[in-house]
Amino acid sequence: MELSNEVINLGKNAEEAVQEEFKKIDELCEYHSNRVLNAFQKYHVSDIHFNSTTGYGYSDVGRDVIEKIFAEVLHTEDSLVRSQFISGTHALTVALFAFLRPNDTMLSISGKPYDTLDEVIGIVENPSSLKAYGVKYEQIDLIENDFNYEKISERVSKQNIKLIEIQRSRGYSLRDSITLDKIEKVIKTIRKVNQEVIIMVDNCYGEFVDKIEPSQVGADVIVGSLIKNLGGGISPNGAYIAGKKELVELAAERLTAPGLGKEVGPTLGINKQILQGLFFAPSVVASSLKTAVFTSKLLEDLGYKPRPRYNEKRTDIVQTIEFGNPEKLIRYCQGIQMGSPIDSDAIPEPWDMPGYTDKVIMAAGAFTQGSSIELSCDAPIREPYVAFMQGGLTYQYGKLGVLHAIQNILK
Ligand SMILES: *Cc1c(COP(=O)(O)O)cnc(C)c1O
């Protein structure tokens, strides 16, 4: 499908108006590229690290160097970066089951966590949930897009909260994503009254969007997916848990087995892709950010309500657009699919996805199944009809995808 001149011109105008933002994103990209390059050099990455192991995966020097580099780049003592993590949800699950024991309490301070954790925590009943193992759950909601500092301070000063979870990105909620200055402020608040509690941040979609990571403002452990930011669109799957050495060790013993920990885990030939993915990640995150900023300006010009606005500070790669109308929303998502490199002739329709209350539409013409560092867009079909869009392997492809989407709502 060809883009009309009208649509191309709308794109040009939006692009011209966001050049200042693009410049800042370029600077950010250079900053993180330099850090990644330094980490590769510090650990003397060489051909030998691209080698593969099978079976138990003992003595995988590539895997070991990958975990040192991730720890370096994320400013943590250690990391566990494994393709045996099926997804971000799996890594979060492993972390929670590793740190929490029967009768412990987990406290979420950014409202309800990401939907896929409902059954993990036991918010939705499941015989294998943390709840089923006797782990208690409490939640403190955000107020006006910020932490409820007073209530958090009061609760954690009392007995036995074992772990605090903070979700940086908005997930499918309509709240804003949480900036690092707020995360820093809440961690300082917590540490004034409690030095023991484990502070874990769900860092999905957040890596390399700011100059620093939650680990640099006091988080003990952070978790993310390799089919999002740090995989750079090249890692075929996997996730990471990075943080304090003893916490990473606990997570490793839960992922593999007690006594085995980090020493095992065959890499089956993907070390090079993981390294190359991290190498590309600063640039791919920058492309995703440019795609988001461009989209925000363009859709605002067209009279819709994007969040964040194009010139607002970002803490993740997610762009939401409120359409206020189900037809426009569906047409936008279908247009993103039309503008994708893979399955561009598929027409996504809203459907009853397991685990969701409303019908959901998902556009993803991605090389890697479910990869959302590639341009992707999904939306629950409910008021106020908001699309959640993210990714873009290159800005040019991201822009083209979005232009196809607006052509599809304008026609
Ligand atoms: C993507 C995401 C996850 C994990 O999702 P998976 O699809 O399992 O990788 C968790 N939390 C947030 C905020 C996310 O964006």
Side-chain angles (χ1 to χ4, degrees):
M1 197 177 57
E2 290 290 312
L3 290 168
S4 71
N5 283 334
E6 184 204 356
V7 165
I8 290 169
N9 282 330
L10 284 169
K12 269 200 186 123
N13 292 339
E15 191 171 57
E16 268 164 33
V18 295
Q19 287 307 309
E20 231 175 276
E21 277 67 37
F22 278 17
K23 213 171 144 225
K24 285 183 213 154
I25 295 169
D26 286 335
E27 282 164 17
L28 182 78
C29 175
E30 194 167 316
Y31 176 77
H32 287 302
S33 299
N34 187 43
R35 294 197 316 112
V36 169
L37 182 62
N38 286 339
F40 272 61
Q41 293 170 348
K42 177 171 176 182
Y43 291 104
H44 309 285
V45 174
S46 173
D47 244 5
I48 192 177
H49 299 120
F50 303 155
N51 285 349
S52 176
T53 53
T54 55
Y56 297 131
Y58 287 131
S59 312
D60 192 313
V61 293
R63 187 189 67 213
D64 293 346
V65 93
I66 286 168
E67 291 180 337
K68 285 188 179 130
I69 288 173
F70 268 71
E72 176 84 14
V73 165
L74 292 170
H75 294 271
T76 56
E77 290 174 10
D78 201 356
S79 83
L80 186 65
V81 183
R82 298 296 169 106
S83 68
Q84 282 82 15
F85 287 127
I86 302 310
S87 61
T89 302
H90 184 207
L92 288 161
T93 302
V94 167
L96 291 171
F97 273 87
F99 308 146
L100 292 160
R101 303 296 152 91
N103 292 320
D104 283 345
T105 301
M106 159 185 181
L107 171 68
S108 167
I109 59 170
S110 42
K112 194 177 89 59
Y114 198 67
D115 298 50
T116 56
L117 294 179
D118 284 3
E119 289 185 54
V120 175
I121 295 168
I123 297 169
V124 170
E125 292 294 327
N126 183 299
S128 300
S129 69
L130 286 163
K131 187 181 165 194
Y133 284 87
V135 175
K136 298 180 209 106
Y137 172 74
E138 292 179 28
Q139 175 180 316
I140 297 175
D141 289 334
L142 297 171
I143 37 172
E144 286 166 23
N145 279 312
D146 204 347
F147 294 107
N148 189 340
Y149 297 95
E150 240 172 79
K151 200 166 170 193
I152 292 166
S153 175
E154 194 196 300
R155 182 62 191 93
V156 296
S157 65
K158 284 196 223 127
Q159 26 53 359
N160 74 330
I161 302 287
K162 178 72 173 293
L163 177 143
I164 289 177
E165 202 224 30
I166 300 169
Q167 185 185 304
R168 179 176 176 181
S169 188
R170 65 203 311 159
Y172 287 113
S173 75
L174 295 180
R175 67 155 167 102
D176 289 343
S177 298
I178 303 172
T179 52
L180 283 171
D181 51 333
K182 286 177 187 162
I183 293 178
E184 178 168 24
K185 188 173 159 197
V186 82
I187 292 178
K188 281 198 176 134
T189 306
I190 294 164
R191 286 300 178 223
K192 266 192 205 133
V193 291
N194 188 326
Q195 285 77 52
E196 265 77 67
V197 66
I198 299 166
I199 301 175
M200 174 174 125
V201 175
D202 174 350
N203 204 29
C204 282
Y205 287 141
E207 303 92 349
F208 291 172
V209 172
D210 208 322
K211 278 202 162 179
I212 56 171
E213 296 297 336
S215 38
Q216 289 166 274
V217 296
D220 297 309
V221 62
I222 60 178
V223 182
S225 165
L226 293 191
I227 58 171
K228 296 183 178 173
N229 301 20
L230 291 189
I234 294 177
S235 285
N237 84 321
Y240 73 85
I241 297 175
K244 296 251 165 71
K245 200 165 183 55
E246 70 270 16
L247 295 176
V248 171
E249 190 53 39
L250 280 170
E253 303 250 317
R254 179 49 57 225
L255 174 66
T256 63
L260 300 182
K262 290 187 81 179
E263 301 305 312
V264 294
T267 49
L268 307 172
I270 67 161
N271 284 345
K272 182 175 159 188
Q273 283 163 287
I274 291 186
L275 284 164
Q276 211 166 11
L278 182 66
F279 189 72
F280 272 91
S283 165
V284 175
V285 169
S287 298
S288 300
L289 285 171
K290 284 185 181 175
T291 304
V293 166
F294 169 77
T295 305
S296 188
K297 182 71 177 93
L298 180 59
L299 275 285
E300 183 174 297
D301 290 348
L302 290 170
Y304 301 103
K305 279 190 224 152
R307 268 166 75 186
R309 287 196 62 212
Y310 70 95
N311 54 3
E312 275 174 329
K313 180 159 176 66
R314 286 170 193 260
T315 187
D316 64 8
I317 61 168
V318 180
Q319 178 66 49
T320 68
I321 309 133
E322 181 182 321
F323 286 95
N325 165 323
E327 285 76 38
K328 298 271 187 220
L329 171 67
I330 291 168
R331 291 188 76 85
Y332 186 83
C333 293
Q334 290 175 337
I336 290 288
Q337 186 78 36
M338 290 171 192
S340 301
I342 314 296
D343 293 328
S344 60
D345 47 3
I347 298 173
E349 293 285 349
W351 63 297
D352 290 302
M353 252 179 80
Y356 293 87
T357 19
D358 302 281
K359 281 191 159 50
V360 179
I361 183 165
M362 292 202 160
F367 289 88
T368 297
Q369 187 187 98
S371 167
S372 48
I373 189 62
E374 302 183 47
L375 184 65
S376 49
C377 186
D378 19 77
I381 310 298
R382 63 172 176 241
E383 282 183 355
Y385 303 104
V386 175
F388 295 78
M389 192 190 93
Q390 61 279 312
L393 291 180
T394 73
Y395 164 62
Q396 287 72 20
Y397 288 126
K399 175 171 98 177
L400 287 168
V402 171
L403 290 178
H404 277 281
I406 66 150
Q407 177 153 295
N408 202 44
I409 53 174
L410 291 176
K411 83 173 181 219

